[in-house]
Amino acid sequence: MRLWDKGLAIDKKIERFTVGNDRELDMHLVEYDLKASKAHARMLGKVGILTSEEVGAIEVELDKLQQQFESGTFEIEEDFEDVHSKIEFELTKALGDTGKKIHTARSRNDQVLVAMQLYFKENLNEISEKTKELIDVLLDLADKHQEKLLPGYTHLQVAMPSSFGLWFSAYAELLIDDLYLLEAGLKVVDQNPLGSAAGYGSSFPIDREFTTKELGFSTLKYNVVAAQLGRGKCERTVTANISSVANTLARFAMDICLYMSQNFDFITFPDELTTGSSIMPHKKNPDVFELIRGKCNKLQSIANEMILITNNLPSGYHRDYQLIKENSVYAVENIKEILDVFIHSIALIKVKDIDLQDEKYKYLFTVDSINDLVMQGKSFREAYQVIGGQVQDGTYKAAEGKKHSHLGTKDNLALEEIRRKKDDV
């Protein structure tokens, strides 16, 4: 049942330790290993290692396994180390010696590499699409609420006038930066490693350009040692890119938790999106966004874990690489769920009317007052001292807030420009 089995017994305790939870994790890789196996079989047929009849028979059995996977009946039993040994066993059971030939000119190393990179490639695209969907929701909210003023803060002190439009579109544009990184990550994983075998290539006359086209990779990782060294680099890159998205969402979630509190009272959500207290009947807790914040902070730690496990490994394969599969898959699956929940929840936000005559917002317009004096001919420093003096002696009275007309400010949000930036990614 083991791809490396030489007929020798193995200590069961050691076997359990080395297999770990690969069987569970590999359910995320089934369709990608099937796809790669089919491309590999076709390539072996092209170069004359398999006959056309053998290729056809292998493809039929791989399609059956794909149907099992899609119907939810595919299972990696405890007899198997991983998805790769399971698939080869099923081919051998159905086809005998023909099934055994599927491993010709490849290693479990490049099997794992290609399955993981296909998994990352598809999911980075999905994460990008979900991120774009969230950006669109935020830009729509910014457009809807662009006239509603919101106190801006620095050092958590009342600072200058902002708006809900500015707040929503700020996070929309930050997420575009994350799209740039996701796109860069896609370029890293979109390089075919299949054919690198155990990391030093093969003496078989394989055609790596053929499998590159078959699998839909943009290019291949030409150097076989570089392909093997991509194990770890791909995971570091993908989890770092996901970490950037998570950082943006964690900061946004923190704003939401803050703004929902009674001391700020800027926003609220429908009751069905909040939770209560077991002893305080008045509580309306933003648990969804607290969990998003916590989960996103956890995701940001994973990129560091990838570095610590892989940064001092010499070239070639090492079993340490097995340890990076779990949390890289965890990062991918969790950021998708977080984005789904965020999109669903933020669309239901309720923006409140804020009474800017409240005493705590008394100095919200001091900078506008300084600028009024500058426009009347005073130097900025002199105007600053005049308004500063009024603040100190308690005589400051805010004038009506000025329009902020330059591009990207509260009265000129540049929403269409931000949309175009998003569409260009």
Side-chain angles (χ1 to χ4, degrees):
M1 300 294 186
R2 296 182 293 271
L3 295 182
W4 50 272
D5 197 335
K6 296 184 286 289
L8 302 175
I10 184 168
D11 188 301
K12 291 299 180 184
K13 181 175 287 189
I14 298 300
E15 183 176 28
R16 284 193 298 272
F17 181 76
T18 54
V19 170
N21 60 350
D22 263 11
R23 282 185 289 269
E24 294 82 1
L25 291 171
D26 280 3
M27 288 302 294
H28 293 285
L29 303 181
V30 174
E31 60 183 305
Y32 305 106
D33 195 68
L34 290 170
K35 182 178 180 180
S37 294
K38 185 178 286 189
H40 185 68
R42 287 173 177 168
M43 182 276 295
L44 292 177
K46 179 177 180 292
V47 300
I49 293 174
L50 293 179
T51 66
S52 59
E53 291 77 13
E54 288 173 325
V55 173
I58 288 171
E59 286 192 278
V60 167
E61 295 306 318
L62 290 172
D63 286 340
K64 289 179 183 177
L65 294 175
Q66 178 65 28
Q67 289 166 8
Q68 287 180 26
F69 175 73
E70 291 172 359
S71 67
T73 60
F74 184 92
E75 183 182 357
I76 305 173
E77 297 87 350
E78 287 190 10
D79 294 333
F80 301 98
E81 278 191 302
D82 50 31
V83 66
H84 317 293
S85 53
K86 163 71 173 181
I87 290 173
E88 184 169 329
F89 173 83
E90 294 295 338
L91 289 176
T92 301
K93 184 173 75 172
L95 302 174
D97 287 343
T98 296
K100 296 177 183 178
K101 292 181 181 180
I102 190 63
H103 205 59
T104 305
R106 73 175 180 180
S107 162
R108 185 165 62 172
N109 291 358
D110 63 342
Q111 269 190 278
V112 175
L113 275 166
V114 72
M116 287 297 296
Q117 286 182 227
L118 288 169
Y119 168 78
F120 286 142
K121 180 182 173 183
E122 182 169 306
N123 279 280
L124 282 175
N125 277 313
E126 185 177 345
I127 293 165
S128 293
E129 289 306 311
K130 290 179 186 294
T131 302
K132 287 182 178 182
E133 185 179 351
L134 177 55
I135 291 169
D136 286 336
V137 171
L138 294 177
L139 290 176
D140 288 344
L141 287 168
D143 188 38
K144 179 179 179 181
H145 299 293
Q146 59 183 296
E147 300 296 331
K148 286 205 167 186
L149 283 182
L150 173 71
Y153 288 77
T154 63
H155 308 276
L156 276 180
Q157 308 292 308
V158 173
M160 289 179 64
S162 180
S163 70
F164 282 101
L166 204 56
W167 181 55
F168 287 125
S169 58
Y171 281 104
E173 194 164 8
L174 278 181
L175 286 167
I176 294 173
D177 293 339
D178 300 325
L179 285 178
Y180 295 147
L181 292 174
L182 291 169
E183 187 174 43
L186 187 59
K187 284 185 177 295
V188 171
V189 301
D190 196 13
Q191 304 176 84
N192 180 23
L194 188 58
S196 59
Y200 299 97
S202 172
S203 59
F204 288 105
I206 59 175
D207 187 340
R208 298 188 64 212
E209 291 179 323
F210 177 85
T211 55
T212 299
K213 292 176 182 175
E214 283 286 301
L215 292 171
F217 283 106
S218 295
T219 185
L220 56 83
K221 202 73 166 181
Y222 293 98
N223 185 295
V224 291
V225 175
Q228 186 59 58
L229 288 170
R231 186 90 179 266
K233 191 170 187 85
C234 287
E235 287 82 354
R236 288 196 303 274
T237 301
V238 169
T239 54
N241 299 157
I242 288 172
S243 171
S244 183
V245 180
N247 176 266
T248 303
L249 298 181
R251 294 174 70 184
F252 195 6
M254 179 62 225
D255 275 4
I256 290 168
C257 294
L258 199 66
Y259 290 177
M260 274 189 71
S261 70
Q262 291 91 334
N263 296 72
F264 286 81
D265 201 29
F266 298 158
I267 59 174
T268 189
F269 286 88
D271 289 344
E272 58 267 27
L273 290 187
T274 61
T275 62
S277 163
S278 62
I279 63 171
M280 295 171 284
H282 66 281
K283 294 296 292 296
K284 188 173 179 179
N285 299 324
D287 284 19
V288 167
F289 294 99
E290 290 174 346
L291 284 171
I292 286 173
R293 181 178 60 198
K295 285 174 177 283
C296 284
N297 289 339
K298 184 174 181 178
L299 290 181
Q300 290 177 79
S301 73
I302 290 175
N304 288 332
E305 181 184 278
M306 298 295 111
I307 293 171
L308 291 172
I309 293 174
T310 64
N311 70 343
N312 62 353
L313 294 180
S315 61
Y317 174 76
H318 310 277
R319 194 62 179 261
D320 311 52
Y321 287 130
Q322 179 180 345
L323 303 179
I324 64 178
K325 181 192 291 183
E326 179 174 6
N327 274 354
S328 58
V329 170
Y330 174 93
V332 167
E333 298 304 323
N334 272 265
I335 197 64
K336 291 191 296 183
E337 181 183 28
I338 289 167
L339 283 164
D340 282 339
V341 170
F342 215 122
I343 291 164
H344 174 72
S345 301
I346 198 66
L348 300 174
I349 193 171
K350 296 180 179 180
V351 170
K352 293 187 173 183
D353 292 321
I354 301 169
D355 180 10
L356 296 180
Q357 301 306 310
D358 190 301
E359 180 68 17
K360 62 177 169 284
Y361 304 129
K362 181 176 179 179
Y363 300 123
L364 188 64
F365 297 100
T366 56
V367 176
D368 284 352
S369 298
I370 291 170
N371 293 348
D372 279 339
L373 293 179
V374 170
M375 295 300 289
Q376 293 168 22
K378 291 185 182 296
S379 68
F380 178 85
R381 188 53 54 206
E382 183 182 9
Y384 178 92
Q385 290 168 349
V386 169
I387 299 301
Q390 293 174 4
V391 169
Q392 290 300 316
D393 63 25
T395 61
Y396 173 76
K397 287 190 177 3
E400 186 177 337
K402 295 174 68 66
K403 286 283 187 182
H404 293 194
S405 61
H406 71 75
L407 195 62
T409 193
K410 70 179 180 66
D411 299 307
N412 188 0
L413 293 176
L415 298 183
E416 290 310 308
E417 288 82 353
I418 295 172
R419 286 188 197 278
R420 282 197 295 271
K421 187 190 284 190
K422 183 260 304 181
D423 291 339
D424 285 342
V425 179

